[in-house]
Amino acid sequence: MWILGLNSAPIGWHDAAACLIDGDGNIVAMAEEERFTRVKHSPKASPQAAADWCLAQAGLMPSDIDVVTIGWDHGRILPELGGKWGFSNEREFLAKRFGWSFDGGRQPEVVCVPHHLAHAASAFHASGFDEAAVLVNDGNGEEESISIYEARTGRPLVRRAIWPRSHSLGYLYQAACEAIGYTFLEAGKTMGLASYGRARNVEPEPLLAKEGIDFAPPFDLPTSAGYADVVAAWTKEFTRFGDTPLSTSSAAMPDDDVAVRIAWSAQATIERTVAALVAEARRITGIDAICLAGGVALNCSTNGQLPGTVYVPPIPHDAGVSLGSAWAICPPSKPLAPMSPYLGADVGSLSEAPSAWSRVDLSAADVARRLVDGDVGAVAVGRAEIGPRALGHRSIIALPSSEAVRDRVNDMKGRERWRPLAPLGLASANTTHWTGSDMLQRYMLGAADVTDRGRSETPAIVHVDGTARAQVAHDIGIVTDVLEILDAEGRPPITINTSFNTRGEPVVNTADEAIRGASTIGLDFVVIGDDLFVPKR
């Protein structure tokens, strides 16, 4: 049996993705459409290239697929959009959106899975837990914006509580982003900016009319209110800070007191409310282990403050419902180990020898020496990570020994200098240089507190509030080898880790994209597969 899961337009209008699993629930391949089209977040797209790639990994034709799942329940949400799917039947949908022809023969069944159920399945079955509470928290599902599930291996997930779209924390954060002058797809910048409020001991504005588990927004809208009405209501609330949206340049945001107050007030509200929701999930399920999913689960500052056993998959955002919808109808029969994020396309080899680069022998010792000498390089090895975080297979790396390195890397990527860079280190670093949840550091999804030693020896990875969004290396090939060499030399076994991409583009996917990106960024070296390239002098 083969199941192809999708997050696809017309309902899943951003982060289109495809995932192929077998009849035992094992993941064969998963990819986001942006990695192939090179359009970040793939707005309003169907994952045609991602789906075709997934099938190719298993040597399948479309007619070999038994079920296609979609991580949205069209029957429940389409009436709000005028009741039009745009296709007369499933065959037409698959033909027009994916270019598949069945010539009157066998075609897959198409199954629509409720959005939050798909999110919950993607988090629980990826965790390796036998049982867990699951908190799904995003902009909206079909009717809900927040839900709690009870999950146990071998049993269907049971929804235990929901909050309506009028209470959407995702919409609150989106409105805050837009008030500052960002889009909701730039929520990471808003989260980074909020840390300036925390560091400066700014008192955040109370945004909710009532806090805690019975939280309520400061406006009166029906619980069925849609996206436009809720975001508009929050947008109006943010005018209390001044005229919005702000016209401040992104580079100057930390110097704009209004921008910092908006970001910090929204962030503080999210942190307090999510903490209450996690406590409620544990109370009503009687289970301490908790999994988080939905776009709000990408808020690593919030995640890092949560107590107890907390798991966030590498794909908590909407791309993850491609996997979750498939698992919802064909779950693993037993707990899996925490999932590997390296499920995307293999980097492959260069289509031709690069004219501006020389190939030299690759060794971890040589890469470590280049880093010690102050070089900034990148790795593009093996299968790409899924999700928005670079995790050592498509990463820019450098030693975090000075703030000047941070500034250089940010300048090379066209990022604002105030934005933090993440560390990637051996497990030992999570006691010596920072302290945080081991589980959240698997996929760089939880902020950790940097120690005094970390501030002294690795200043480039310390954000203004004394935290770092850390990743602990779990056997990720040459980067792990480099870290071990640094450790053996008595150096901190830590590198900077930021995504290998040029400004405004998705993370690189292939070898050719890696060499082009290295040239555009101006890197000192790049590892591509088993080869090391340096610029010709």
Side-chain angles (χ1 to χ4, degrees):
M1 184 173 185
W2 296 102
I3 302 96
L4 182 70
L6 306 174
N7 181 48
S8 176
I11 305 301
W13 74 268
H14 59 85
D15 295 305
C19 180
L20 179 68
I21 67 172
D22 64 20
D24 295 319
N26 298 308
I27 307 170
V28 176
M30 182 175 180
E32 292 166 84
E33 185 72 3
E34 67 168 23
R35 302 297 177 93
F36 301 94
T37 64
R38 312 307 300 159
V39 178
K40 200 166 186 177
H41 296 294
S42 53
K44 300 181 180 179
S46 293
Q48 180 175 354
D52 287 345
W53 174 81
C54 285
L55 296 186
Q57 296 309 293
L60 301 178
M61 300 293 291
S63 57
D64 296 320
I65 300 299
D66 296 281
V67 183
V68 171
T69 62
I70 301 172
W72 290 89
D73 189 342
H74 286 185
R76 288 164 59 196
I77 202 168
L78 280 171
E80 294 188 16
L81 305 178
K84 296 179 180 179
W85 187 24
F87 309 99
S88 58
N89 54 46
E90 296 170 355
R91 182 183 291 265
E92 184 181 350
F93 166 70
L94 297 173
K96 289 188 175 180
R97 286 288 184 177
F98 296 91
W100 295 347
S101 174
F102 300 98
D103 298 325
R106 181 179 183 273
Q107 73 176 58
E109 178 186 6
V110 177
V111 176
C112 292
V113 175
H115 189 61
H116 275 209
L117 175 60
H119 268 313
S122 74
F124 173 62
H125 295 302
S127 69
F129 297 153
D130 185 61
E131 60 179 19
V134 186
L135 173 64
V136 181
N137 196 349
D138 63 2
N140 68 277
E142 286 77 20
E143 294 95 13
E144 63 279 87
S145 66
I146 301 167
S147 56
I148 292 172
Y149 285 81
E150 182 176 328
R152 301 180 190 274
T153 300
R155 304 181 192 178
L157 276 68
V158 178
R159 192 174 71 180
R160 299 294 302 275
I162 63 169
W163 284 257
R165 284 179 291 184
S166 58
H167 287 51
S168 172
L169 297 179
Y171 289 170
L172 182 162
Y173 216 78
Q174 175 175 343
C177 293
E178 293 176 357
I180 292 168
Y182 294 137
T183 71
F184 88 99
L185 296 175
E186 298 175 291
K189 293 185 181 182
T190 301
M191 182 176 63
L193 187 62
S195 296
Y196 284 83
R198 192 196 312 271
R200 295 168 184 168
N201 294 315
V202 173
E203 187 66 27
E205 287 274 336
L207 298 181
L208 296 173
K210 187 177 181 181
E211 294 200 343
I213 198 60
D214 297 319
F215 74 95
F219 42 77
D220 186 19
L221 284 176
T223 57
S224 60
Y227 159 82
D229 290 335
V230 179
V231 172
W234 274 116
T235 298
K236 184 177 179 181
E237 287 295 322
F238 282 112
T239 60
R240 76 172 81 166
F241 294 89
D243 292 336
T244 60
L246 305 179
S247 58
T248 306
S249 70
S250 189
M253 283 295 183
D255 299 320
D256 188 317
D257 290 341
V258 173
V260 171
R261 284 174 54 222
I262 291 173
W264 174 221
S265 298
Q267 179 65 31
T269 300
I270 296 295
E271 290 175 3
R272 290 194 296 265
T273 309
V274 169
L277 289 165
V278 165
E280 177 69 359
R282 286 171 166 152
R283 185 192 69 81
I284 63 177
T285 63
I287 305 171
D288 177 69
I290 188 159
C291 303
L292 307 181
V296 177
L298 286 172
N299 193 304
C300 63
S301 294
T302 296
N303 299 343
Q305 297 181 42
L306 297 172
T309 302
V310 180
Y311 175 84
V312 185
I315 33 76
H317 60 315
D318 273 8
V321 302
S322 61
L323 170 59
S325 63
W327 267 343
I329 68 163
C330 187
S333 59
K334 58 183 179 180
L336 304 175
M339 70 180 290
S340 167
Y342 308 109
L343 299 167
D346 189 87
V347 69
S349 56
L350 292 169
S351 58
E352 60 183 26
S355 60
W357 295 78
S358 297
R359 181 190 175 279
V360 298
D361 290 339
L362 172 64
S363 72
D366 185 40
V367 173
R369 179 187 60 78
R370 292 175 185 277
L371 293 176
V372 170
D373 288 344
D375 284 1
V376 175
V379 290
V381 297
R383 293 181 70 167
E385 307 92 332
I386 55 171
R389 306 283 190 254
L391 300 171
H393 276 204
R394 301 291 189 276
S395 293
I396 291 175
I397 57 174
L399 290 194
S401 52
S402 72
E403 292 181 351
V405 174
R406 177 200 64 202
D407 292 344
R408 184 186 176 208
V409 172
N410 273 333
D411 289 347
M412 292 170 82
K413 287 195 64 181
R415 287 165 44 108
E416 300 84 350
R417 281 196 170 190
W418 57 265
R419 291 176 62 189
L421 293 172
L424 167 58
L426 296 180
S428 60
N430 187 27
T431 51
T432 58
H433 290 74
W434 61 77
T435 58
S437 163
D438 290 334
M439 192 162 287
L440 293 176
Q441 290 175 45
R442 180 176 287 273
Y443 316 122
M444 201 193 295
L445 284 168
D449 293 322
V450 180
T451 64
D452 290 341
R453 181 178 174 184
R455 290 170 185 256
S456 173
E457 295 184 349
T458 55
I461 54 89
V462 188
H463 196 27
V464 66
D465 61 352
T467 65
R469 188 179 67 192
Q471 180 195 356
V472 167
H474 288 274
D475 191 22
I476 53 176
I478 190 166
V479 176
T480 301
D481 296 339
V482 169
L483 295 173
E484 290 174 345
I485 290 170
L486 294 173
D487 192 38
E489 293 177 349
R491 304 177 188 276
I494 301 164
T495 69
I496 285 171
N497 177 21
T498 189
S499 58
F500 187 5
N501 62 295
T502 57
R503 184 177 177 87
E505 286 193 336
V507 176
V508 301
N509 210 29
T510 66
D512 287 341
E513 291 161 8
I515 203 72
R516 286 196 298 269
S519 298
T520 301
I521 295 167
L523 295 174
D524 299 312
F525 69 86
V526 58
V527 177
I528 301 177
D530 295 327
D531 296 321
L532 174 63
F533 293 90
V534 297
K536 291 181 178 177
R537 303 299 184 188

